[in-house]
């Protein structure tokens, strides 16, 4: 589990670094919810990973994972709605940034959970 969190922090650091380089070169503008999105997704991914990783009933794992996806869709949808309402002009930048980070973090979560589940077979 510690490897997941180390990887998550390293990927977050790389994402923030690349974004700052692109902003300094004036190739992109920084989203107004840049840090809020990183923190929200980092926390959400970490909490759900711990919960799923500690779940010891392989027969119900798929149902639990689908439930966490539904919860994430609701929570992340509400967060995106809030971002759009707060900053309509920067909505595209904020939502694209959110989706990029979301897909990367979800891919990490799937890779690490797959390693755990494949050991139980």
């Amino acid at each position: 589990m510690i490897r997941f969190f180390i990887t998550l922090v390293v990927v977050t650091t790389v994402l923030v670094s690349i974004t700052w380089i692109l902003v300094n070169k004036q190739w992109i503008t920084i989203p107004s919810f840049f840090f809020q999105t990183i923190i929200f997704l980092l926390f959400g991914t970490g909490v759900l990973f711990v919960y799923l990783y500690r779940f010891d009933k392989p027969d119900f794992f798929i149902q639990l994972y689908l439930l966490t996806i539904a919860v994430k869709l609701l929570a992340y949808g509400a967060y995106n709605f809030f971002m759009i309402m707060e900053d309509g002009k920067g909505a595209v930048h904020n939502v694209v940034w959110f989706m990029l980070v979301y897909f990367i973090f979800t891919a990490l979560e799937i890779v690490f959970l797959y390693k755990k589940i494949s050991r139980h077979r």
Side-chain angles (χ1 to χ4, degrees), residues 34-49:
F34 178 78
F35 288 111
Q36 295 91 329
T37 298
I38 283 281
I39 292 167
F40 182 59
L41 287 172
L42 190 62
F43 179 75
T45 304
V47 167
L48 288 175
F49 180 82

Side-chain angles (χ1 to χ4, degrees), residues 75-101:
Y76 294 168
Y79 177 74
N80 276 289
F81 180 76
F82 173 76
M83 281 192 310
I84 292 167
M85 292 289 106
E86 287 294 311
D87 184 16
K89 290 182 181 179
V92 172
H93 295 298
N94 285 316
V95 172
V96 167
W97 173 246
F98 177 89
M99 294 304 293
L100 174 73
V101 176

